[in-house]
């Protein structure tokens, strides 16, 4: 952030009404021969009639340009003239200023620096407004002058109106058993005009910033909105708590849920179309202390998913993964927490094998990305279609490669292991901390160790680290403490004068986060003869991990450090992601 330099006048500036400021600037222009009196009078008349911000009618009338307007008004009031783009806007401060006030008074809080909050404005004479902002924000405010055009554009962005609302609901009759009359009743109850516009604006903004999830939750006197971008939560707008029931009802209507039920968790989905592209929304509603919390996950329906080569992995690792998925039979697992990129890796692997001579069948909950070359079966527990039931049916479909969305229970795990043992290549996911943990998790579920050792080919453990924003990344020499935090063995690197890492700063391009996008870190555990014997012999996860590392496996921590020294990410991000991993 660039902090403006305050330019104090020689004496306190007069709290002049805007019309007086406009007239003084106009008289200066007449004296300079820049404009004739009648043109000035006409502009000032329109200024008084339309109540435009100070002297702006002079710009609208072509009497003066915006840069000169800024210079003259700033000089009159003794204020710094700044560009909003040079600031990292504090969304928490914005959330505390009502949208109606910001738009009506043409003000916007920018950030807190040195105990004062910089407030962008176009009318420095509006002293009561700044007094009111001081009460709202709880600290002193320092007005800074900005171009009206830039302020208007920023207000549109921060209050989520930068996108045209053109969503079209796509009916999916398979998702509901409601009668047409019931659907019509629900739609009528949930489609209040203002609430529809509010929800559509949130969806449009989430798409524009690349959010994966929208969180809408009652919080005290406000309805709080947050967006998950690149795996991290970002503060969004706040609305009156009175809107909470109607917003939840609108989303329930879209997802064809029961809007009369507010004390039981509900899950649903919505298919939308925008600009010719389909969008799937997964909706989860749960009761909380002050009402209902709604989480919307955004997925691009029918998106042509990235290939294995497009995942951003090191070439050598890409080659090894392609070799694993080319095997004729066995089990290949991808493990990691929710949001770690498992689905992207799996679809990349599927695309590497997709060919006319290969029969690929998947069973997923839900089918996140539809590919024409795959036979994809969605889970539907209400109709009795579970992972185990679907997997049994798949085995009668003459498959070459089977993808099971997730192994959650013994029944699914046992059928998957038997399928991998009888001439099929089976891919699936699990939720464990590392690759070795996935092997032991199968054993803990009840799959016999000899069967796990026999069918397992490889396990990928995966995380995503945020990529530092290339526009504001700041090179620096790391301290000894930072290197030690990454691992005691790295302390010796402090003596390397040429060592430079990057830190996240924040700019307008990354919305102040300091990061933009994410890159995967992966450990690939290949099951060799020694590991098979260790699995069957009852070895624990740390023993399996140590054996793999001793035989050349680069674990998650090593992969994260590689990204760090390549200046793709930061020390803070590596420490965050690698907490709790096996050293």
């Amino acid at each position: 952030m660039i902090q403006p330099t305050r330019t104090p006048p020689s004496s306190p500036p007069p709290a002049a009404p805007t019309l007086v400021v406009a007239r003084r600037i106009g008289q200066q222009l007449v004296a300079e021969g820049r404009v004739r009196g009648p043109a000035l009078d006409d502009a000032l008349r329109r200024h008084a009639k339309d109540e435009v911000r100070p002297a702006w009618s002079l710009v609208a009338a072509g009497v003066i340009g915006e840069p000169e307007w800024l210079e003259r008004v700033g000089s009159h009031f003794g204020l710094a003239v700044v560009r909003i783009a040079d600031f990292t806007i504090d969304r928490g401060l914005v959330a505390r200023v009502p949208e109606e006030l910001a738009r009506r008074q043409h003000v916007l809080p920018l950030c807190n620096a040195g105990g004062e909050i910089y407030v962008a404005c176009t009318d420095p004479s509006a002293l009561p407004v700044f007094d009111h902002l001081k009460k709202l924000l709880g600290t002193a405010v320092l007005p800074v002058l900005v171009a009206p055009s830039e302020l208007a554009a920023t207000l549109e962005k921060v209050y989520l109106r930068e996108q045209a609302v053109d969503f079209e609901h796509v009916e999916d009759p398979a998702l509901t058993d409601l009668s047409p009359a019931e659907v019509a009743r629900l739609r009528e109850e949930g489609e209040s005009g203002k609430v529809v516009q509010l929800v559509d604006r949130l969806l449009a903004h989430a798409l524009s910033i690349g959010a994966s999830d929208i969180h809408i939750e009652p919080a005290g006197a406000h309805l709080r909105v947050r967006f998950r971008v690149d795996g991290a939560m970002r503060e969004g707008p706040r609305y009156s708590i009175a809107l909470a029931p109607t917003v939840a009802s609108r989303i329930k209507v879209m997802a064809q849920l029961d809007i009369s039920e507010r004390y039981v968790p509900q899950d649903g989905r919505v298919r939308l179309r925008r600009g010719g592209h389909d969008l799937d929304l997964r909706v989860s509603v749960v009761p909380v202390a002050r009402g209902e919390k709604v989480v919307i996950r955004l997925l691009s329906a029918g998106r042509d998913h990235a290939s294995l080569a497009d995942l951003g992995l090191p070439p050598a690792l890409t080659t090894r993964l392609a070799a694993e998925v080319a095997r004729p039979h066995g089990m290949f697992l991808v493990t990691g927490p929710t949001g770690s990129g498992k689905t992207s890796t799996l679809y990349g692997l599927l695309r590497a094998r997709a060919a006319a001579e290969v029969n690929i069948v998947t069973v997923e909950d839900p089918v996140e990305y539809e590919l024409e070359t795959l036979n994809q079966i969605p889970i539907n527990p209400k109709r009795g279609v579970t992972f185990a039931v679907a997997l049994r049916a798949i085995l009668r479909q003459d498959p070459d490669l089977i993808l099971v969305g997730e192994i959650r229970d013994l029944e699914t795990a046992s059928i998957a292991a038997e399928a991998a043992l009888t001439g099929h290549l089976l891919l699936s996911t699990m939720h464990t901390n590392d690759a070795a943990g996935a092997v032991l998790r199968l054993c803990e579920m009840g799959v016999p160790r000899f069967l796990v050792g026999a069918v397992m080919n490889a396990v990928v453990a995966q995380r995503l680290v945020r990529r530092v924003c290339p526009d504001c990344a700041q090179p620096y020499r790391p301290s000894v403490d930072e290197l030690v935090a990454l691992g005691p063995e790295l302390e010796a690197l402090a003596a390397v004068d040429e060592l430079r890492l990057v830190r996240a700063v924040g700019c307008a391009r990354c919305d102040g986060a300091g990061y933009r996008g994410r890159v995967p870190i992966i450990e690939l555990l290949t099951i060799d003869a020694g590991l098979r014997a260790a699995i069957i012999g009852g070895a624990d996860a740390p023993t399996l991990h140590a054996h793999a590392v001793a035989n050349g496996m680069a674990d998650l921590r090593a992969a994260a450090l590689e990204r760090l020294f390549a200046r793709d990410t930061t020390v803070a991000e590596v420490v965050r992601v690698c907490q709790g991993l096996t050293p």
Side-chain angles (χ1 to χ4, degrees):
M1 184 201 77
I2 297 177
Q3 295 188 7
T5 301
R6 195 188 321 212
T7 309
S10 55
S11 59
T18 58
L19 184 58
V20 173
V21 178
R23 187 173 297 281
R24 288 184 180 179
I25 294 175
Q27 289 171 349
Q28 294 171 3
L29 295 173
V30 170
E32 296 168 6
R34 299 269 303 280
V35 65
R36 302 182 67 177
L40 173 64
D41 292 339
D42 180 63
L44 292 177
R45 276 195 299 271
R46 279 187 284 120
H47 170 81
K49 178 180 179 181
D50 299 336
E51 297 182 355
V52 186
R53 293 297 116 184
W56 186 242
S57 56
L58 301 180
V59 178
V63 173
I64 188 174
E66 186 175 72
E68 187 176 359
W69 174 87
L70 283 168
E71 181 182 349
R72 288 179 181 268
V73 175
S75 175
H76 179 84
F77 286 96
L79 291 183
V81 177
V82 303
R83 294 175 63 251
I84 297 178
D86 292 333
F87 288 78
T88 298
I89 297 176
D90 187 331
R91 297 291 179 133
L93 295 176
V94 173
R96 291 157 64 183
V97 176
E99 177 182 358
E100 186 275 335
L101 172 66
R103 290 182 176 276
R104 175 166 47 84
Q105 298 295 342
H106 299 260
V107 292
L108 180 69
L110 299 176
C111 64
N112 191 327
E116 290 181 310
I117 295 177
Y118 290 113
V119 175
C121 71
T122 61
D123 184 3
S125 69
L127 298 182
V129 175
F130 301 122
D131 289 338
H132 186 48
L133 288 175
K134 180 179 179 180
K135 294 178 182 178
L136 283 176
L137 300 173
T139 188
V141 299
L142 176 61
V144 289
L145 191 64
V146 299
S149 58
E150 187 184 18
L151 180 58
T154 305
L155 287 173
E156 293 296 315
K157 180 178 181 180
V158 298
Y159 288 108
L160 312 187
R161 289 185 179 175
E162 77 280 24
Q163 298 279 338
V165 176
D166 56 358
F167 290 106
E168 173 188 356
H169 195 278
V170 180
E171 294 290 351
D172 190 343
L175 297 177
T176 177
D177 295 324
L178 296 174
S179 68
E182 289 172 318
V183 172
R185 176 180 60 81
L186 288 172
R187 193 176 297 280
E188 180 180 357
E189 292 177 359
E191 289 196 346
S192 166
K194 290 185 177 180
V195 175
V196 169
Q197 185 184 46
L198 184 153
V199 172
D200 285 355
R201 281 165 53 189
L202 291 175
L203 292 173
H205 182 73
L207 287 175
S208 72
I209 63 175
S212 61
D213 302 86
I214 307 173
H215 293 243
I216 304 171
E217 50 203 0
H222 301 283
L223 179 64
R224 181 171 68 166
V225 179
R226 294 186 291 171
F227 302 93
R228 188 174 293 280
V229 182
D230 293 336
M233 298 290 277
R234 290 189 188 179
E235 195 74 27
R238 294 190 180 191
Y239 303 102
S240 168
I241 192 63
L243 285 174
T246 53
V247 170
S249 294
R250 165 58 184 163
I251 297 171
K252 286 182 180 179
V253 168
M254 294 173 66
Q256 299 178 347
L257 301 176
D258 185 357
I259 64 173
S260 66
E261 179 57 76
R262 297 187 177 182
Y263 302 101
V264 175
Q266 298 187 67
D267 295 301
R269 61 177 285 191
V270 185
R271 174 68 64 85
L272 300 175
R273 183 172 295 124
R274 187 170 188 268
H277 298 285
D278 288 343
L279 181 72
D280 269 339
L281 310 181
R282 310 298 186 202
V283 177
S284 173
V285 183
V286 297
V288 294
R290 298 178 180 271
E292 292 177 293
K293 174 173 179 174
V294 180
V295 177
I296 304 174
R297 169 152 288 190
L298 293 87
L299 301 169
S300 295
R303 186 178 78 180
D304 189 15
H305 209 271
S307 68
L308 189 59
D310 295 331
L311 294 179
L313 300 174
L317 183 56
T318 300
T319 301
R320 292 180 61 196
L321 289 173
E324 290 296 337
V325 80
R327 292 194 183 195
H329 55 78
M331 182 181 290
F332 184 103
L333 296 179
V334 180
T335 184
T338 300
S340 60
K342 298 187 299 295
T343 300
S344 295
T345 299
L346 282 174
Y347 273 87
L349 292 168
L350 291 181
R351 289 194 61 186
R353 279 295 305 273
E357 63 271 15
V358 181
N359 180 24
I360 301 177
V361 186
T362 77
V363 52
E364 304 170 68
D365 181 22
V367 175
E368 294 191 13
Y369 304 109
E370 298 175 8
L371 275 68
E372 293 181 358
T373 55
L374 308 183
N375 302 289
Q376 296 172 279
I377 302 173
I379 289 299
N380 191 337
K382 292 182 180 179
R383 300 180 183 273
V385 183
T386 62
F387 278 116
V389 169
L391 187 51
R392 286 195 182 95
I394 287 173
L395 293 177
R396 297 190 289 270
Q397 291 281 313
D398 185 30
D400 296 303
L401 189 156
I402 303 169
L403 167 66
V404 178
E406 183 180 352
I407 295 178
R408 301 175 178 173
D409 52 53
L410 174 59
E411 185 179 16
T412 304
S414 298
I415 299 172
E418 291 170 5
L421 190 64
T422 55
H424 306 92
L425 180 64
L426 187 135
L427 278 61
S428 190
T429 70
M430 297 186 75
H431 289 267
T432 60
N433 281 337
D434 58 13
V439 176
L440 269 295
R441 178 66 181 134
L442 285 175
C443 300
E444 290 170 358
M445 284 182 176
V447 181
R449 278 182 173 267
F450 75 86
L451 183 56
V452 175
V455 302
M456 190 66 64
N457 289 345
V459 184
V460 160
Q462 179 165 334
R463 299 289 191 278
L464 293 174
V465 294
R466 289 183 292 173
R467 186 192 295 274
V468 68
C469 175
D471 292 302
C472 62
Q474 184 181 82
Y476 77 106
R477 183 176 178 180
S479 67
V480 175
D481 290 341
E482 286 180 298
L483 293 172
V484 170
L486 296 170
E489 74 279 8
L490 298 181
E491 182 177 359
L493 293 178
V496 180
D497 293 336
E498 295 79 14
L499 179 63
R500 293 292 184 273
L501 303 179
V502 290
R503 60 163 60 100
V505 177
C507 65
R509 290 291 302 277
C510 61
D511 202 19
Y515 301 91
R516 203 161 78 231
R518 291 186 289 178
V519 293
I521 58 171
I522 280 179
E523 70 178 27
L524 174 58
L525 176 69
T526 302
I527 308 299
D528 57 18
L531 277 175
R532 292 188 196 280
I535 294 169
I536 296 172
D540 58 12
T543 300
L544 297 179
H545 180 89
H547 176 95
V549 171
N551 283 272
M553 182 186 79
D555 61 13
L556 285 168
R557 181 171 169 274
L561 290 176
E562 183 178 350
R563 292 289 190 182
L564 175 67
F565 292 120
R567 300 187 185 183
D568 290 332
T569 190
T570 65
V571 171
E573 188 69 359
V574 170
V575 171
R576 180 185 71 85
V577 171
C578 293
Q579 283 181 345
L581 296 179
T582 303

